Amino acid sequence: MVNPNKVTERLFQSPSKYIQGPYAIHNAAKYLGKLGKTPLLICDEIVWRIAGEELVGALEKSDFKIHRIVFGGEASREEVDRIAQIGRDKSSDFVIALGGGKTIDTAKTVADGLALQVAILPTTASTDAPCSALSVLYRPSGEFHCYTFFDKNPSVVLVDTTVVSKAPARFLAAGMGDAIATNVEARRCKNSTNFGGGLQTEVSSAICEKCEEILFKYGKQAYEANKAHAVTPALEAVVEANTLLSGLGFESGGLAAAHAIHNGMTAIEELHGLLHGEKVAFGTICQLVLDGVPTSELDRYIEFMLSVDLPVTFELLGIPHVKDEELRRVAELSCAESETIWNLDLVINVDFVFGAIKAADAAGRDYIRRTGWKKN
């Protein structure tokens, strides 16, 4: 239900400090020193080899004493509890997340439970999780579990674009899939409360619009630069859009159907191998269908998504033979009582969402047929 408590205050929230640039990890001590000297570092083994050793080397030169925890792979309550106990045992004075979205969401939840500050160092630009005061938790099986909300945003978000440029371009594209939903959702949430419990400010609306503008202007160029592992102005712009603008935009603007449908899609086991933003991209098409946008506008979004290899049909999602009963289950979960789909000022029910999901696939197939698009 849209704004059931009749809130009238506007609210905007953000991390205390955001830093982005090539080789930013080398200056990590400069930005993290005020948080403490004995951090709990959470990262997986792959990220450790990519950036962890470099980060620890930079921090140890400034007399940090780091305790590293190997992230288990799923942002679940069980993983949070395991890591939090180690943090207590080691008397850590702040938490560092080094990695992707699930590492970040886990670290934020751990830090909140320990009443510590958290520094977020993303190694990909694959989600808008780094800047927000919330985490998405999943069940160990990979299904969506819940949103977890915190009293404050991360103290520091530090993005090394040299590290980001070395990641597979699929991660940047997934970040664009997450970020392209930001304005689509927020512009339909103006009368709903955001994640801070207030209404949108003018600056949050402007941020959402700027995020979308950057993606359409530089998205394809940045994607190709990432494939070449090149840090360019286009890549810098898209990393900022994916990470900062989308993060500020969704949290202070609001989420709606695109993310609710993503959450429902996690019930399909065959989709567990997809990245968050790849599913959100398809959810965005579903929301555009629910919004009743003209075909020309729908085409514009589909064209953009295909240009960076985001899925716009069931086949491209990897579920060409998905059954109606599976899609209805997605629609049911999307319409759960606590879901963000209810931020939409529309008549919503399971049948409408089920129809939108099928119509989104049909729209994607129709665009591909009309344009002759073929995957490179």
Side-chain angles (χ1 to χ4, degrees), residues 331-352:
E332 290 169 350
L333 292 170
S334 304
C335 294
E337 184 178 351
S338 60
E339 264 300 349
T340 57
I341 199 167
W342 301 111
N343 288 333
L344 286 174
D345 192 9
L346 293 171
V347 175
I348 294 290
N349 62 37
V350 170
D351 287 338
F352 289 171

Side-chain angles (χ1 to χ4, degrees), residues 7 9 85 90 186 200 210 218 250 288 312 318 321 352 356:
V7 172
E9 296 89 357
Q85 187 56 54
K90 297 297 180 181
Q200 289 181 26
K210 189 65 176 180
Y218 295 115
F250 94 77
L288 290 167
V312 300
H321 306 298
F352 289 171

Side-chain angles (χ1 to χ4, degrees), residues 293-358:
V293 303
T295 300
S296 58
E297 184 175 353
L298 194 58
D299 281 356
R300 180 170 179 256
Y301 286 91
I302 292 172
E303 178 185 20
F304 166 75
M305 292 177 190
L306 288 174
S307 76
V308 293
D309 296 321
L310 288 169
V312 300
T313 65
F314 295 152
E315 183 173 3
L316 292 174
L317 283 164
I319 49 170
H321 306 298
V322 64
K323 297 180 173 60
D324 278 0
E325 52 264 35
E326 293 177 284
L327 297 177
R328 184 163 289 278
R329 176 60 177 159
V330 170
E332 290 169 350
L333 292 170
S334 304
C335 294
E337 184 178 351
S338 60
E339 264 300 349
T340 57
I341 199 167
W342 301 111
N343 288 333
L344 286 174
D345 192 9
L346 293 171
V347 175
I348 294 290
N349 62 37
V350 170
D351 287 338
F352 289 171
V353 176
F354 171 71
I357 293 169
K358 297 196 71 173

Side-chain angles (χ1 to χ4, degrees), residues 38-42 56 65-69 86-87 90 92:
T38 57
L40 183 71
L41 171 63
I42 303 172
V56 168
K65 305 297 181 186
I66 302 104
H67 186 82
R68 179 170 73 102
I69 297 296
I86 297 171
K90 297 297 180 181
S92 301

